[in-house]
Amino acid sequence: DLEGIRKRVDKRKKEFREGIVIVFAAKDDEVGIAVGVTDILTNKFDAVKFVKKGSEIIGGQGGGGRKDFAQAGGQDKSKIDEAFEKLKTLI
């Protein structure tokens, strides 16, 4: 569900005192990525940087948002695992 991707990230962020939430969603030829960073970590990590890197890998062109939440899209769902692995190296 591409429409509910933000809600899933917000829900998971509330469950953690400190953490980074990365969610991918795919439907037909569309892929969505959303990243949430808890407030305690926004001085160290920027959700926009994570989303831009993930979007490049899944065939998107960037995306945007704020340090605590960002989202983007792409077209290549076969690259979701690759994007996730790359994003983990940024932590």
Side-chain angles (χ1 to χ4, degrees):
D1 175 18
L2 295 172
E3 300 296 320
I5 198 168
R6 181 186 181 109
K7 288 179 186 174
R8 282 195 298 270
V9 170
D10 287 342
K11 180 181 177 186
R12 294 291 181 212
K13 276 178 54 180
K14 289 176 184 174
E15 294 174 3
F16 301 113
R17 180 180 168 290
E18 183 177 337
I20 298 170
V21 178
I22 301 168
V23 175
F24 288 91
K27 182 176 182 183
D28 301 321
D29 292 334
E30 294 181 64
V31 181
I33 177 177
V35 176
V37 177
T38 58
D39 291 338
I40 201 166
L41 291 178
T42 55
N43 61 337
K44 267 177 97 171
F45 299 102
D46 185 343
V48 175
K49 290 180 183 178
F50 281 87
V51 158
K52 286 186 177 188
K53 179 54 74 178
S55 177
E56 288 173 16
I57 295 170
I58 61 172
Q61 296 184 358
R66 306 177 310 270
K67 287 186 77 147
D68 67 324
F69 177 84
Q71 70 183 65
Q75 295 81 33
D76 192 348
K77 61 184 166 188
S78 72
K79 300 281 188 169
I80 290 174
D81 289 337
E82 178 184 338
F84 184 65
E85 291 303 316
K86 178 60 178 178
L87 296 181
K88 288 192 311 187
T89 69
L90 302 178
I91 299 172

